[in-house]
Amino acid sequence: MEKNSVWWKEAIGYQIYLRSFCDSNGDGIGDIQGIIEKLDYLKKLGVNLLWVCPLYPSPMDDNGYDIKDFYGVSEDYGTMQDVETLLQEAHQRGMKVIFDLVLNHSSDEHPWFIEAISEKNHPKQKYYYFVEPKNIEALREGKAEFPEAPNTWKSFFCESAWTYVPSIQKYYLHIFSKKMPDLNWHNPELREEMYQMARFWLDKGVDGFRLDAIAHLAKDQSLSESAVPMDEQGLRYDPSKFSNRPEIFEFLVEFKEKVLKHYPEAVTVGEVGGGASVEEALRYAAYDEGSLNMVFNFDHCWENGAYGSLDKRDDEIRTNVPNLKRIFKSWHEGLKGKAWQPIYWLNHDHPRLMNQYGNPAEALASGTMLAGLLLYLYGTPFIYQGEEIGMCNVDYTRLEDFKDVNAQNFYKEHQARYSHEHLLHILRRISRVNARSPFQWTEETPALEMPMNANVSYINASLQEAQEYSLLKSYRHLIALRKELKNLVLYGDTQWYLEEDEAIFTFKKKQEQEELLIFANFLGEEKEVEGDWAGEYICAFESSTTKRPTSFTTKENLQFREKVSVSNKIKLTPYEFVIFYKKV
Ligand code: GLC
Ligand code: CA
């Protein structure tokens, strides 16, 4: 099954956060024409599968994940004609384009929702979760003054998952923001609506979907109280009430039957947050029984302790390399031969990779090391926009610059106990706004709605294009070489070494007559390690703070390099990333 090569197994993905990628008309908002302008840049980088974040009409409460017309294109971003041009232009360059498909919720400005709240018992309420207050009797009898929510579930965005609509005396469920009412997938009529919408985009020529928040489609329909302890707001944060629940797999089988099966070339990448396990991932994406092609898990995203780090000092935020190894290994071994996997470091919902696991002071070496791991571990990699030039967390000092409902709610939640300065410091460490600042094309690129990071003067794509050695060029070289070595990377057997080592990530890939031996040093210090990997190799790539990245991008060229003998003891320089290659 594994070798059965379909295009998406061998693709190199790139995520575009449309709003801050490239603004073609100078209105301060990235747009579809902007992506078209940059297709050649992306082509040159070597990526060939673009995931474009939501471009649908939206009040932008959650930057477009709150959709008010599933069939349209937001005026902020362009027109349907622009979408068609984008697809055409990308396809002409041999690139595929997948859209973010949001099936879990709509905007509260979607006509369905507006209708639903227009009268006490409107039939469209069945498209959502409308529930009477828990104390409805007491309210009716005039014994209670205020309505009580059906339960104390807390949403992902730091507030109650229930909002009351006084005119109809009902609450509705929203596991994200108030303006994102959850759609009721337990209702077959709603499911049909969503299938029709998915078909619409596939018929338009979109090459598949990144399925937003897909793990949350099914809810605990009993709406029973959670058993987790209550927080200071009187709420209980318990994603198990709305994540990876059994019915979801039935919904997805139906989705496949009614939609996906009819578009065998389309790819689906599900976002399965809420702590999906390897076993659950197999239920989503196993070659035989799964409904999706692959699923993103979040397990490796916060292995530096930044998540929930309100009380931590900066020097307590350190990458836990053994945990990262454990996580990548267990996912790889759990899915190998059974399901395909995407691999990514972080996305638009996280801080920047350079701050999370790299070192901005050694951006070229640490960034190259992280790029190398992403590209040579396994699966279909997704690079997040700006990662290839080492963009960093934002330097914003005003709360209003953190334009994100989650960041704003987080601030409100903790305002009473922490100083303004401290909370801003924490937002610069953990907020997803960090990933959403304007792409740093040139030193002169104007700020968009959000300010440009001041480091644009020395971190930008045009500068890196001009430099002989730059992170951008490392990415290009690593991608080009990886295309040549893809059989080993994708289908080879992995042997893991030094699993408990706190600095070095190392593994071997073997297939038939070929081998790759890879070392990555996460520390800005020299480190000597030992293992039974000795042999004669060709050094296919090396980079560190003391070694300029090499640029051998074809297998053929590798043959002309002298063989080196790698002994069982090896000394790695700071942030060293090295690929040894051997043909036996
Ligand atoms: C996903 C998206 C995130 C969004 C949420 C609600 O997790 O990645 O950006 O806020 O779903 O749609
Ligand atoms: Ca624009």
Side-chain angles (χ1 to χ4, degrees):
M1 211 58 198
E2 198 85 305
K3 263 207 154 174
N4 173 9
S5 45
V6 279
W7 68 267
W8 40 264
K9 286 189 174 176
E10 302 189 353
I12 310 271
Y14 187 94
Q15 183 189 350
I16 297 180
Y17 195 72
L18 182 53
R19 214 166 171 82
S20 55
F21 188 61
C22 176
D23 175 17
S24 71
N25 61 355
D27 65 355
I29 303 172
D31 46 53
I32 301 165
Q33 282 296 338
I35 305 181
I36 297 170
E37 276 177 27
K38 296 299 179 190
L39 285 175
D40 288 329
Y41 166 88
L42 295 167
K43 168 101 187 152
K44 193 165 177 195
L45 179 60
V47 300
N48 52 12
L49 166 57
L50 309 179
W51 151 21
V52 180
C53 285
L55 43 68
Y56 318 100
S58 161
M60 300 291 166
D61 184 57
D62 185 21
N63 280 346
Y65 282 91
D66 49 321
I67 298 168
K68 67 175 185 190
D69 172 7
F70 288 109
Y71 292 87
V73 176
S74 163
E75 284 177 8
D76 286 353
Y77 302 136
T79 61
M80 194 58 91
Q81 178 59 52
D82 293 334
V83 165
E84 285 159 14
T85 314
L86 169 66
L87 294 173
Q88 242 168 36
E89 293 282 325
H91 290 161
Q92 262 169 27
R93 289 168 176 80
M95 296 165 143
K96 307 268 190 178
V97 183
I98 62 174
F99 279 9
D100 228 308
L101 196 73
V102 184
L103 299 174
N104 181 68
H105 43 268
S106 74
S107 160
D108 66 342
E109 296 180 33
H110 190 288
W112 295 337
F113 191 85
I114 295 173
E115 270 181 68
I117 59 169
S118 66
E119 52 187 74
K120 178 93 181 125
N121 292 311
H122 194 284
K124 276 278 173 334
Q125 287 175 11
K126 296 212 169 61
Y127 275 28
Y128 298 92
Y129 297 90
F130 279 95
V131 184
E132 289 186 319
K134 204 161 131 188
N135 58 346
I136 184 76
E137 294 306 326
L139 282 173
R140 280 198 190 116
E141 291 161 17
K143 288 184 190 151
E145 212 179 320
F146 301 106
E148 236 182 273
N151 56 44
T152 61
W153 295 357
K154 187 178 184 176
S155 78
F156 287 113
F157 289 171
C158 315
E159 52 185 2
S160 167
W162 296 98
T163 290
Y164 191 56
V165 186
S167 57
I168 56 167
Q169 283 193 307
K170 283 179 188 165
Y171 280 89
Y172 64 89
L173 178 71
H174 56 87
I175 65 170
F176 295 97
S177 92
K178 284 188 178 58
K179 286 185 64 68
M180 300 157 83
D182 279 65
L183 290 165
N184 186 350
W185 271 71
H186 299 269
N187 172 2
E189 207 182 315
L190 178 275
R191 296 204 297 273
E192 274 308 324
E193 296 264 16
M194 302 317 272
Y195 300 153
Q196 192 186 322
M197 185 263 292
R199 281 193 293 265
F200 169 82
W201 290 106
L202 291 167
D203 290 338
K204 201 151 262 308
V206 171
D207 300 294
F209 302 117
R210 177 263 190 181
L211 297 162
D212 182 71
I214 200 74
H216 309 304
L217 297 189
K219 317 288 184 268
D220 173 357
Q221 284 189 284
S222 74
L223 305 181
S224 64
E225 195 50 274
S226 157
V228 312
M230 217 179 232
D231 69 8
E232 287 163 2
Q233 301 181 79
L235 299 173
R236 292 180 167 91
Y237 180 62
D238 183 2
S240 74
K241 292 290 183 188
F242 36 76
S243 306
N244 306 306
R245 299 190 66 88
E247 298 91 332
I248 198 170
F249 300 102
E250 292 159 34
F251 300 156
L252 291 178
V253 166
E254 188 183 77
F255 183 34
K256 182 178 180 180
E257 205 40 49
K258 296 200 168 172
V259 183
L260 302 174
K261 196 173 99 178
H262 307 284
Y263 303 83
E265 279 299 301
V267 66
T268 46
V269 194
E271 182 207 23
V272 297
S277 62
V278 168
E279 291 67 39
E280 281 158 342
L282 285 171
R283 294 193 66 190
Y284 283 108
Y287 290 133
D288 310 323
E289 287 108 50
S291 304
L292 308 179
N293 296 125
M294 43 184 154
V295 290
F296 282 124
N297 75 82
F298 300 175
D299 287 6
H300 61 282
C301 294
W302 294 96
E303 285 308 321
N304 63 344
Y307 191 78
S309 65
L310 260 165
D311 297 311
K312 284 190 191 160
R313 294 185 317 269
D314 289 353
D315 61 4
E316 291 174 275
I317 306 296
R318 301 196 75 197
T319 304
N320 188 330
V321 180
N323 270 0
L324 277 180
K325 286 186 276 196
R326 253 191 293 285
I327 292 165
F328 282 118
K329 179 182 169 185
S330 69
W331 278 93
H332 186 46
E333 299 204 331
L335 299 195
K336 192 154 201 281
K338 300 182 191 145
W340 197 249
Q341 246 196 117
I343 177 167
Y344 72 111
W345 278 118
L346 300 162
N347 60 26
H348 67 292
D349 291 327
H350 304 112
R352 282 278 173 185
L353 173 61
M354 188 50 75
N355 299 79
Q356 199 85 336
Y357 298 143
N359 176 0
E362 291 292 353
L364 174 57
S366 68
T368 300
M369 181 273 293
L370 292 165
L373 277 180
L374 178 79
L375 290 161
Y376 288 80
L377 258 175
Y378 54 72
T380 302
F382 280 84
I383 296 164
Y384 179 69
Q385 74 178 41
E387 221 165 79
E388 75 277 21
I389 56 167
M391 281 179 63
C392 296
N393 282 352
V394 297
D395 51 359
Y396 301 164
T397 52
R398 302 181 312 179
L399 180 61
E400 67 261 35
D401 289 334
F402 287 87
K403 282 195 184 55
D404 167 36
V405 58
N406 193 25
Q408 295 293 330
N409 287 350
F410 171 88
Y411 184 91
K412 278 183 222 141
E413 181 178 359
H414 300 288
Q415 194 172 19
R417 296 208 314 144
Y418 295 87
S419 73
H420 175 74
E421 281 314 315
H422 182 74
L423 288 177
L424 282 178
H425 184 79
I426 298 298
L427 285 173
R428 286 191 295 269
R429 176 194 290 162
I430 65 167
S431 165
R432 54 188 195 163
V433 168
N434 289 303
R436 302 177 178 190
S437 63
F439 193 104
Q440 297 169 203
W441 293 108
T442 72
E443 197 177 345
E444 276 86 42
T445 305
L448 301 182
E449 292 168 325
M450 288 205 260
M452 188 62 85
N453 194 316
N455 66 18
V456 68
S457 61
Y458 58 95
I459 300 176
N460 64 71
S462 76
L463 181 68
Q464 296 197 16
E465 182 63 62
Q467 285 165 334
E468 192 179 351
Y469 301 99
S470 66
L471 188 52
L472 179 61
K473 292 193 173 165
S474 288
Y475 268 86
R476 272 188 206 149
H477 294 147
L478 284 166
I479 290 172
L481 183 63
R482 140 114 186 200
K483 286 184 180 163
E484 298 259 323
L485 299 172
K486 68 171 191 245
N487 281 336
L488 264 164
V489 176
L490 296 176
Y491 312 112
D493 289 323
T494 314
Q495 187 178 342
W496 309 82
Y497 293 101
L498 306 176
E499 296 180 34
E500 292 308 318
D501 191 276
E502 292 190 357
I504 310 299
F505 198 137
T506 178
F507 55 94
K508 200 183 250 186
K509 293 261 172 184
K510 268 194 197 170
Q511 206 206 20
E512 289 153 21
Q513 254 67 75
E514 291 178 289
E515 254 180 60
L516 287 179
L517 172 64
I518 291 180
F519 293 93
N521 182 358
F522 270 77
L523 281 192
E525 292 158 23
E526 221 178 58
K527 174 103 200 234
E528 190 173 54
V529 285
E530 204 177 338
D532 62 343
W533 46 61
E536 295 261 297
Y537 292 89
I538 291 164
C539 177
F541 186 93
E542 65 181 333
S543 153
S544 77
T545 55
T546 55
K547 298 176 188 166
R548 305 279 206 191
T550 42
S551 53
F552 286 86
T553 53
T554 67
K555 216 154 122 179
E556 207 150 87
N557 282 344
L558 288 184
Q559 299 171 27
F560 303 117
R561 300 208 83 189
E562 228 172 88
K563 282 198 178 136
V564 288
S565 84
V566 178
S567 66
N568 279 341
K569 250 192 199 160
I570 182 169
K571 196 181 266 171
L572 297 163
T573 47
Y575 298 116
E576 177 146 9
F577 179 73
V578 50
I579 304 176
F580 291 114
Y581 170 78
K582 148 156 112 183
K583 194 160 186 165
V584 266

